[in-house]
Amino acid sequence: MKAIAQPARTLLSPHDHALLLIDHQSQMAFDVRSIDPTNLRINVGSLAQTAKGFKVPTILSTISKDTFAGPLFPEITEAFPDAEVTDRTTSNAWEDENFIKRINAVGKDRLVIAGLWTSVCCNGPVVTALEQGYEVYVVTDACGDCTTEAHERAVARMVQAGARPITALTYLLELQRDWARTETYDTTINIATRFGGGFGIGVQYAKAMFANQKS
């Protein structure tokens, strides 16, 4: 066996997939208990800004926006202020014809998906897409549910069906993957600094200290 300096096929790159953000709406977040809502919004914001910065095709969808579930998180609309948003009545977005038209128009066989709640808004599209032959990654920390049990069982069900679990920070760093990629270096650093928790603070510290040493 001989090692080769190339990435695994299963690693994500900016041009090989589409991102689906499903039902990250105010009402859907009220009863989330599996993750702190502040962390949930940070992770969703990181996802949205990563997709914007790396020019990943992104599909936004809501459920009963004007009559029940309310607006999208501001972190999403900040990243995509003029984006088309497909509103539905079906809890499983994959059963909505307009949503499916957008999936087909993007034409990607690999999908990265996050949605509220994990057991409904995320699980339905994920298991359906897998059954129809799509390759699916689930951003588990950009989803949430009414209980930790509900979230964990939904994630286990999706993984058993063939989905690959990742996190929002993993998504960012996997798309960058090589710090010599200068065209997205600043994008990655800025997103990590803003949304990357302790890692982001570390980046901020390193930049500040390096600048001080040069002066």
Side-chain angles (χ1 to χ4, degrees):
M1 183 177 294
K2 185 177 181 180
I4 303 172
Q6 65 183 34
R9 189 197 67 82
T10 55
L11 290 175
L12 294 162
S13 66
H15 309 297
D16 68 359
H17 69 282
L19 175 68
L20 279 54
L21 296 179
I22 303 173
D23 304 348
H24 290 97
Q25 299 167 259
S26 52
Q27 195 279 336
M28 305 303 295
F30 289 160
D31 199 36
V32 167
R33 298 292 182 270
S34 64
I35 183 173
D36 182 85
T38 300
N39 291 333
L40 174 65
R41 291 179 61 182
I42 288 171
N43 296 335
V44 170
S46 174
L47 268 186
Q49 291 293 341
T50 299
K52 176 185 178 181
F54 284 85
K55 298 180 173 58
V56 175
T58 302
I59 297 175
L60 308 180
S61 186
T62 54
I63 184 168
S64 304
K65 176 176 65 70
D66 297 323
T67 58
F68 176 67
L72 285 169
F73 288 3
E75 289 79 5
I76 295 177
T77 54
E78 176 190 337
F80 302 108
D82 301 315
E84 177 184 355
V85 180
T86 300
D87 194 48
R88 326 172 317 275
T89 59
T90 61
S91 60
N92 177 7
W94 211 271
E95 297 177 40
D96 182 84
E97 291 290 347
N98 290 325
F99 184 84
I100 293 304
K101 287 178 183 177
R102 297 186 65 188
I103 295 291
N104 290 332
V106 167
K108 299 290 185 182
D109 296 334
R110 176 178 281 184
L111 305 175
V112 176
I113 301 178
L116 284 182
W117 296 328
T118 322
S119 59
V120 183
C121 314
C122 190
N123 176 72
V126 167
V127 298
T128 310
L130 287 165
E131 188 175 285
Q132 293 184 12
Y134 286 82
E135 188 177 1
V136 180
Y137 295 68
V138 180
V139 190
T140 57
D141 64 351
C143 306
D145 220 309
C146 303
T147 65
T148 300
E149 177 80 6
H151 173 77
E152 291 179 349
R153 295 294 73 74
V155 171
R157 182 179 180 184
M158 290 184 283
V159 170
Q160 288 170 357
R164 296 188 174 100
I166 60 172
T167 66
L169 184 57
T170 298
Y171 182 66
L172 169 65
L173 298 179
E174 196 161 310
L175 294 194
Q176 177 64 19
R177 208 159 65 237
D178 185 344
W179 295 111
R181 293 178 179 170
T182 56
E183 68 274 14
T184 51
Y185 178 88
D186 287 341
T187 294
T188 300
I189 290 298
N190 291 337
I191 295 172
T193 301
R194 180 179 176 188
F195 297 105
F199 173 72
I201 292 296
V203 170
Q204 180 191 33
Y205 173 83
K207 288 178 65 179
M209 299 306 291
F210 181 71
N212 290 338
Q213 291 175 14
K214 289 179 64 176
S215 59

